[in-house]
Every structure is written in structure tokens, then in C-alpha cells.
Amino acid sequence: MIRREFSLLADIMTLTHLLKGESIALSPTHSLNLLSPDDMPAICQMLADDRVNQYLFFAPAPEQIYYDYFTPQFAAMAASIAAGQQPNQLLLAIRDPQGQFAGMVAIVATAEQPNTYDIGYQLPHRSWGQGLASRACRLLTQLAFEQMGANKLQADTFDNNQASKRVLEKSGFGRTHKVYGHFAEGTIDQCWFGQTREQYQRSVAVANT
């Protein structure tokens, strides 16, 4: 069963549907549901693509590195859902019309600040240019503030990744600071973005006027 796409006013049950393993519509052709261990081969293939990993500090890497990172994340998410609790990490897969992996998005609670989440996304090259990252980022932003109790969201990206910065800006994030020379042995800057609950609520109020 695929639930309708998010409207400006969130479907209050959307998080419940996702945690029950259901899918929700992301676009007329694509949907979102929980990322699973079965997606690992597709994830590894995506991260091995130089067009994708040129913007990632953790890729390329041996596939075992990815399995070692994601396996505990899957386990923690599954354990929280089984216990009827909101997971600290919500890992979602973008699915194409055939139900195949077409990207991933996530919000993960930070250890440093309560009710603060990191948001991130990676899409294979075949999914670029379709607005999927922007749709998914906006949806997760709405989900975090309206249904997960977030007070702040934050994200970072390579400063030369113009497409990723546009995704965040279109989702209501503002640039907060830059760390010069953070990546690639001092040759690429790290650009940080953020959005608070108050900023989100203000944007919704303006959009509804």
C-alpha cells in the first residue's frame, strides 16, 4: 500500500505508516519506505560510482566498511520499532516505479544536542535531476519537526557540491558556517546548514498566508 505524497499539512499518521513498513508516495513515480539490509548491494554499487563518491568523504571504501556501518544502524532501528519506540535513526529508501532502490535519505539524532538531528541523502546517478532529493529532504524536514519532536536539523556538504546545497536551501535550510579545508587534505571546504523549529514554523505560516 502506498500512501499519498505529503501535502503542506502533514498527514499525522505518516510516521506510523513508515514504521509499520508501509510506503508513502514521494512523487508520481517514486515512493519512500524503510531502508533494509536487502538494499546493501545497491548501496554499495551507488557508493562505488565516482560520480557519486566525489562528494562523499567516506567513499569509495571496501564494501565491508559499509556493511559494518549500516548493519548496527539497521539493528538499532528495527529494535526501536519492535519496542514501539521512535528510532533515533530513521533510514529510508527511495523506490522507483518497480520498487527498486533509487536512493536513500536519513535523519539521525545527534549525541551532542537533544532533539537535534542530522539529515542526509545519497542518490545513484540515474536518479539525479528528477527533484527526488529535494522532495525527500522537504518531507523528512516536515516529518522531523511535526512528528518527531525535533528542535533543530543540521546538514553538511562539500562546498563544491552545488546541487546538494540547492537541495538544502529549497528545503528551508540556511547556511550556518564553513570549515575551510576540512576535506580532501585541505582542498575542499565543509559547508554547514541548519534549520530550527521556529524557522520551520515561520516558513509554514508564510506559505499558508
Side-chain angles (χ1 to χ4, degrees):
M1 181 178 182
I2 298 179
R3 297 282 172 177
R4 62 174 173 78
E5 183 181 1
F6 261 20
S7 61
L8 185 61
L9 297 176
D11 175 355
I12 194 62
M13 296 302 291
T14 298
L15 181 59
T16 299
H17 295 318
L18 286 170
L19 297 183
K20 288 167 63 177
E22 298 179 12
S23 296
I24 61 172
L26 181 64
S27 76
T29 56
H30 288 69
S31 61
L32 276 179
N33 65 6
L34 293 177
L35 197 68
S36 82
D38 292 339
D39 293 310
M40 283 305 303
I43 292 172
C44 291
Q45 182 179 20
M46 174 183 68
L47 297 179
D49 187 337
D50 289 341
R51 293 169 295 187
V52 175
N53 64 46
Q54 66 175 314
Y55 298 118
L56 301 173
F57 73 90
F58 55 84
E63 289 189 0
Q64 189 59 48
I65 297 293
Y66 304 138
Y67 278 87
D68 289 345
Y69 173 79
F70 280 103
T71 298
Q73 300 267 356
F74 289 133
M77 183 169 68
S80 295
I81 293 172
Q85 301 171 349
Q86 177 177 296
N88 287 328
Q89 54 284 305
L90 183 62
L91 314 177
L92 300 176
I94 301 172
R95 307 286 180 192
D96 67 16
Q98 291 72 46
Q100 299 300 307
F101 177 88
M104 60 185 183
V105 292
I107 42 179
V108 180
T110 66
E112 298 81 11
Q113 303 176 62
N115 300 319
T116 297
Y117 291 82
D118 290 316
I119 188 167
Y121 41 85
Q122 289 89 39
L123 279 69
H125 186 262
R126 64 182 175 86
S127 297
W128 292 6
Q130 302 176 48
L132 296 172
S134 295
R135 286 175 178 267
C137 189
R138 288 196 297 267
L139 189 150
L140 261 67
T141 297
Q142 187 173 13
L143 189 65
F145 285 125
E146 296 194 8
Q147 298 183 39
M148 297 182 69
N151 287 331
K152 180 182 177 182
L153 297 180
Q154 60 187 24
D156 73 295
T157 183
F158 281 20
D159 193 44
N160 63 353
N161 190 345
Q162 301 301 325
S164 183
K165 292 194 291 186
R166 286 195 298 272
V167 166
L168 291 167
E169 288 170 342
K170 287 190 290 187
S171 301
F173 288 76
R175 304 185 192 196
T176 59
H177 64 284
K178 184 183 292 186
V179 182
Y180 290 94
H182 186 73
F183 298 115
E185 299 180 348
T187 63
I188 297 177
D189 303 330
Q190 180 188 40
C191 195
W192 278 93
F193 290 75
Q195 184 173 180
T196 65
R197 171 181 290 274
E198 290 75 17
Q199 290 168 332
Y200 170 78
Q201 290 173 335
R202 172 61 177 163
S203 70
V204 171
V206 170
N208 284 331
T209 59

